[in-house]
Amino acid sequence: MTEPGSIKAQLMPFVMENAQSKGINQVSDDDSLTASGIIDSLGVFRLVSFLEETFAVRIGDEEIVNDNFESVRTIEKFVAAKLAAKGEKAATR
Amino acid sequence: MDFAWSEEQQAFRREVIRFAQQELNENLIERDLHEEFSWDAWRKCAKFGIQGLPIPQEYGGGDADMLTTVCGLEALGYGCRDNGLIFSINAHMWTSEIPILKFGTEAQKKKYLPKLVSGEWVGLHAMTEPMSGSDAFSLLSRAERKGDRYVINGSKTFITNAQNAEVIIVFANLDPEKGAAGITAFILDKDTPGFTISKKLHKMGLRTSPMAELSFVDCEVPVENLLGKEGGGQTIFTVSMEWERICIMASHLGAMQRMLETSVKYAKERRQFGQAIGNFPPISTKIADMDIRLETARLVLYKAAWLKSQGKHALREGSIAKAYVADACIQQALDAIQIHGGYGYMTEYQIERELRDAISGKIYSGTTEIQKKIIAGFHGLSDVPSAAPARREQG
């Protein structure tokens, strides 16, 4: 069950609409988004824009790697780490 | 919004123009005719700091932000008439230095960047193949892991800097079953057995920039020469193209200004029917159009550069700038030739070369059609998933 307002809850509509446009109706947390073609090279940049705008984080060029965007789970983990780092930065100001 | 360059950037701009005008334009008509790359000019640019502009100081670079880099490259495009040299420099910076800087290991950065920045080594990337141009990720080159090495086989075409390069970033598919997700980047040294420059290519424009086809036959590279991660080639390529499309077009802005000024001067000096031709509306209107074109081209390109300087992504804006400036530069050259009449068509006046050079802007780094495909993709059109909203204005 996805918690409303969670990272995953905000992420899934984006992922599912991309998946459905490729004829894929179900995406599990560990499915490879790149190997399945749900996210291609341009799609990664659109995903990055989506994450930057939705979660107010900055994603550097060097962070755009498969490890971070391979699956729903890795994206969720990556965003959580970005938000935590952002929180720590704000707390130290 | 701040549309002004800082005092430091203005001083830098003036210095680049002075350097370029004094040092980089020798024997250009002859060199263009004979397709001669100028090593002397290349080394002078490196010594001045052009090749290392955006690279951190710890690797010998100038640590310039994106806007300052664009400022410098625009000035270079204005002062240096050798558009081929500028093209080679840009290919070197955005397709070898930036991928290594952004995705390389610390050992790779230390090994390659200082020599690429100093100009001692020339870099390139090998992506395009005979059967994969605009559809770049359908490439047929293959890589296979064998123990502590990768073995690369394939052929590449339209490779800028090929004859001069020491460092080759080659893209090959390590896992074809994954499709484009198998594309991987490797750093290859030019002396690797099995690597050859198979055929020199001749071009309509940018003739002082070398280009060739490359062949890779059982080329073995050690695992430490993997750039980024296995399957990370698509992203590396796209990131480097985002940089290249913005920065390479900055030099076109400089060339466009040069063509405008040359045309204004000629329109004031050339007399027909008893007066300067610039007094005739068909000419003065053309001059005004050239000015409008330059100004608007600057705006779209500076916007993309500004986004990058803010640490934001600008794939869409870079594609807009690339498509717009490429068209604008060609029209600028056509107008300049028309204003100069028969003289503009003559090699001696060095305007016809501007047109030949400008046309390539619609082709390299992704054709104008591909830029529009990318832009449409951000609106959920084309073959790109339609989920995301059109990118909001950033700022």
Side-chain angles (χ1 to χ4, degrees):
Chain A
M1 186 75 181
T2 304
E3 198 178 317
S6 66
I7 293 170
K8 187 177 170 186
Q10 295 179 78
L11 173 63
M12 283 313 286
F14 179 91
V15 172
M16 286 314 299
E17 285 197 49
N18 279 272
Q20 282 160 3
S21 73
K22 304 277 184 185
I24 300 168
N25 294 316
Q26 204 169 356
V27 179
S28 70
D29 289 359
D30 294 311
D31 284 348
S32 171
L33 302 178
T34 50
S36 61
I38 295 171
I39 302 289
D40 60 11
S41 65
L42 180 53
V44 166
F45 281 83
R46 295 179 67 230
L47 173 61
V48 165
S49 293
F50 170 79
L51 297 176
E52 286 187 334
E53 290 173 11
T54 305
F55 300 103
V57 293
R58 283 272 168 270
I59 299 169
D61 289 341
E62 54 284 349
E63 293 177 304
I64 308 175
V65 292
N66 286 3
D67 287 357
N68 293 332
F69 301 110
E70 182 65 23
S71 65
V72 169
R73 196 183 302 280
T74 62
I75 297 169
E76 195 180 6
K77 192 176 157 193
F78 173 67
V79 173
K82 295 291 285 184
L83 290 173
K86 193 175 146 190
E88 281 171 20
K89 206 181 265 183
T92 55
R93 276 186 192 142
Chain B
M1 281 188 161
D2 184 355
F3 284 96
W5 295 114
S6 69
E7 281 185 23
E8 291 79 10
Q9 287 167 328
Q10 288 180 53
F12 178 55
R13 176 184 166 80
R14 285 193 297 272
E15 187 58 19
V16 173
I17 291 171
R18 183 203 59 74
F19 158 73
Q21 288 178 333
Q22 285 182 4
E23 306 284 351
L24 305 179
N25 296 324
E26 270 186 29
N27 302 323
L28 188 49
I29 292 174
E30 282 296 304
R31 287 197 287 108
D32 178 70
L33 179 66
H34 299 296
E35 300 181 311
E36 285 175 18
F37 175 81
S38 172
W39 277 106
D40 181 54
W42 171 270
R43 292 188 186 106
K44 283 177 177 169
C45 285
K47 192 175 176 190
F48 186 89
I50 298 293
Q51 281 92 323
L53 264 176
I55 305 300
Q57 286 180 350
E58 61 185 300
Y59 306 113
D63 225 355
D65 62 44
M66 183 67 147
L67 274 172
T68 304
T69 300
V70 159
C71 175
L73 291 173
E74 182 181 346
L76 185 71
Y78 175 76
C80 174
R81 290 172 172 270
D82 186 351
N83 298 317
L85 172 72
I86 293 172
F87 185 65
S88 276
I89 288 173
N90 273 281
H92 168 88
M93 290 169 75
W94 316 120
T95 67
S96 68
E97 288 180 348
I98 287 296
I100 291 172
L101 177 67
K102 296 291 181 183
F103 299 98
T105 62
E106 194 52 40
Q108 288 170 341
K109 291 178 195 177
K110 282 181 176 161
K111 178 179 178 184
Y112 294 105
L113 288 177
K115 289 186 176 179
L116 290 169
V117 164
S118 72
E120 183 180 343
W121 284 353
V122 177
L124 61 75
H125 82 176
M127 181 71 178
T128 303
E129 299 183 356
M131 298 304 289
S132 61
S134 291
D135 187 11
F137 298 129
S138 67
L139 56 82
L140 296 174
S141 290
R142 296 288 179 257
E144 189 183 351
R145 175 83 184 250
K146 284 190 177 174
D148 62 350
R149 311 186 84 73
Y150 292 99
V151 181
I152 299 168
N153 281 284
S155 59
K156 302 286 181 177
T157 191
F158 306 144
I159 307 302
T160 300
N161 290 343
Q163 294 91 322
N164 296 338
E166 293 278 344
V167 181
I168 295 107
I169 294 178
V170 57
F171 293 85
N173 201 319
L174 190 60
D175 190 351
E177 282 190 9
K178 287 185 179 173
I183 295 171
T184 304
F186 305 91
I187 307 175
L188 191 116
D189 297 332
K190 74 158 188 183
D191 296 325
T192 305
F195 168 69
T196 52
I197 297 165
S198 45
K199 182 184 173 188
K200 180 181 177 181
L201 298 172
H202 306 279
K203 308 192 293 298
M204 169 187 187
L206 301 175
R207 290 165 57 85
T208 58
S209 173
M211 181 177 274
E213 293 181 352
L214 305 180
S215 171
F216 303 82
V217 179
D218 293 332
C219 280
E220 292 190 9
V221 296
V223 288
E224 58 263 30
N225 282 29
L226 171 70
L227 181 61
K229 299 281 177 66
E230 290 186 355
Q234 279 188 99
T235 304
I236 292 173
F237 177 74
T238 308
V239 165
S240 65
M241 286 298 99
E242 184 190 35
W243 280 79
E244 180 171 271
R245 285 168 190 151
I246 299 168
C247 295
I248 203 164
M249 301 319 275
S251 298
H252 281 228
L253 296 179
M256 287 174 68
Q257 183 177 347
R258 186 174 64 232
M259 287 188 266
L260 170 62
E261 292 178 3
T262 303
S263 298
V264 169
K265 184 170 181 288
Y266 186 81
K268 286 179 177 175
E269 291 173 357
R270 173 73 170 167
R271 298 181 70 82
Q272 292 288 278
F273 303 105
Q275 56 182 310
I277 62 169
N279 290 337
F280 299 118
I283 300 298
S284 59
T285 302
K286 220 176 272 301
I287 295 286
D289 286 340
M290 292 176 79
D291 197 6
I292 292 169
R293 202 175 293 126
L294 172 59
E295 198 65 22
T296 50
R298 278 190 171 129
L299 288 176
V300 292
L301 191 127
Y302 290 171
K303 165 77 183 295
W306 173 79
L307 283 170
K308 288 291 285 178
S309 73
Q310 300 290 305
K312 298 171 183 174
H313 295 282
L315 191 65
R316 168 180 162 268
E317 293 79 3
S319 288
I320 291 172
K322 167 74 167 49
Y324 188 85
V325 179
D327 276 344
C329 195
I330 291 170
Q331 192 57 50
Q332 201 84 334
L334 285 167
D335 283 354
I337 289 173
Q338 197 66 22
I339 288 167
H340 283 75
Y343 293 107
Y345 199 63
M346 297 297 112
T347 304
E348 181 188 351
Y349 269 66
Q350 306 199 59
I351 298 173
E352 58 85 28
R353 189 185 62 243
E354 301 276 19
L355 177 62
R356 287 190 283 110
D357 292 344
I359 288 171
S360 62
K362 283 181 74 109
I363 299 168
Y364 61 66
S365 302
T367 62
T368 294
E369 290 73 17
I370 288 297
Q371 304 313 317
K372 291 181 180 176
K373 179 177 180 288
I374 292 169
I375 296 162
F378 275 93
H379 294 274
L381 298 173
S382 181
D383 58 346
V384 174
S386 59
R391 190 186 175 103
R392 290 201 304 266
E393 188 68 14
Q394 296 181 58

